[in-house]
Amino acid sequence: MLYLFPLLAVFIWAGNSIVNKLSFGMIEPEAIAFYRWFFAMLILTPFVIKPVWQKRHIIQPLLPKFATLALLGMVLNQSLAYFAAATTTATNMALITSLVPMISLFLAVPLLKQKLSPLALIGMIISLFGLVFMLSHGDIVNFSVGVTQGDMLLLISAFMYALYGVLIKRWQLPLATWESVYIQGVIAVVLLLPLLFSGSSMAITTQSAPLVMYAAIAASLLAPWAWINGINRLGADSASVFFNLMPIVAAVLAAIILDETLAIYHYIGGSMVIMGVMLVQIKFKPKAVPTLACPK
């Protein structure tokens, strides 16, 4: 039963790739980016507003850090994904997003003073080669021809989210997880207002309403809740392995719902991406040095 928590999160996030793609043409990217966090924070308010208000003196000096996190993780990361939906596939969305753990490890070297193991370096090379192979449609020589604007936006989005995760570890903000998410979400709503007004339409139609609610409730609240529970019960290392299933689930859903077809370069490149990310996540525990008993 414990494995249901990370599995639920992975399935929801994989489904969110489908929602991102379906949103193109139904609702403006500026609008869904705003409404996602507006409704999510509206639902979260009754549960966390009291402790957040009680800790306002702690929160106030930390607002620049919260604003930075909101900009990276909720504004840029999500908005870029919605704009990318116009020129890329749901399968590519999930595969590129799966690179986040690898990018995070790379960023942790200068920001958290961590060291990369030889296995992690090998994993990074395999993943990057697999990504290039997939995005170039198997023709690495003509790489620039196969890459779309949406693919590049997703790569930037993945980098932003990886930086977001590393900064959370670096700063260790003295608040509970949901309190921190709430403050970031409220700031994100404020930051997204100009983007909302810059779009050609702010309307939520009967067709787009389910997509907005999925993004706001399932992807923004239910999936993080399930993921946090999975980490608490299984540990971060064990739970992170499930993240590698996301592009596989997304590819299956995309084939069923969106009629996306997978070419041979998807199988080869995608397998290399997932294999590389898994290698990056492997950690070896140092061997215990046996101690010799002192003679009496």
Side-chain angles (χ1 to χ4, degrees), residues 65-77:
K65 291 183 178 180
F66 279 118
T68 301
L69 293 173
L71 179 64
L72 292 173
M74 297 179 177
V75 176
L76 292 175
N77 172 50

Side-chain angles (χ1 to χ4, degrees), residues 8-50:
L8 175 62
V10 165
F11 271 83
I12 291 174
W13 282 327
N16 197 49
S17 298
I18 309 301
V19 168
N20 288 351
K21 186 62 181 177
L22 287 172
S23 68
F24 174 65
M26 289 191 187
I27 184 171
E28 292 299 314
E30 298 92 343
I32 190 172
F34 172 82
Y35 289 127
R36 169 180 183 164
W37 293 112
F38 175 78
F39 288 116
M41 295 306 104
L42 197 63
I43 294 169
L44 200 57
T45 294
F47 301 98
V48 297
I49 188 63
K50 184 177 179 180

Side-chain angles (χ1 to χ4, degrees), residues 102-206:
M102 185 195 73
I103 301 172
S104 297
L105 190 62
F106 180 77
L107 293 175
V109 174
L111 294 176
L112 301 180
K113 307 302 180 183
Q114 292 183 359
K115 293 183 179 179
L116 290 179
S117 66
L119 194 61
L121 288 172
I122 294 172
M124 286 183 178
I125 294 171
I126 293 174
S127 284
L128 289 175
F129 186 83
L131 182 67
V132 170
F133 187 83
M134 183 192 70
L135 295 182
S136 65
H137 298 179
D139 187 4
I140 297 178
V141 177
N142 298 314
F143 173 71
S144 60
V145 177
V147 179
T148 66
Q149 183 182 15
D151 295 329
M152 296 306 298
L153 289 176
L154 286 171
L155 283 171
I156 298 172
S157 173
F159 181 87
M160 293 298 163
Y161 197 68
L163 180 58
Y164 168 83
V166 173
L167 288 178
I168 284 180
K169 292 181 181 179
R170 178 183 174 90
W171 288 336
Q172 294 290 318
L173 300 174
L175 292 177
T177 301
W178 284 111
E179 295 168 2
S180 177
V181 169
Y182 180 72
I183 297 166
Q184 294 171 48
V186 171
I187 295 173
V189 169
V190 175
L191 294 176
L192 285 166
L193 264 175
L195 185 66
L196 174 68
F197 290 121
S198 70
S200 58
S201 173
M202 297 184 288
I204 299 178
T205 64
T206 53

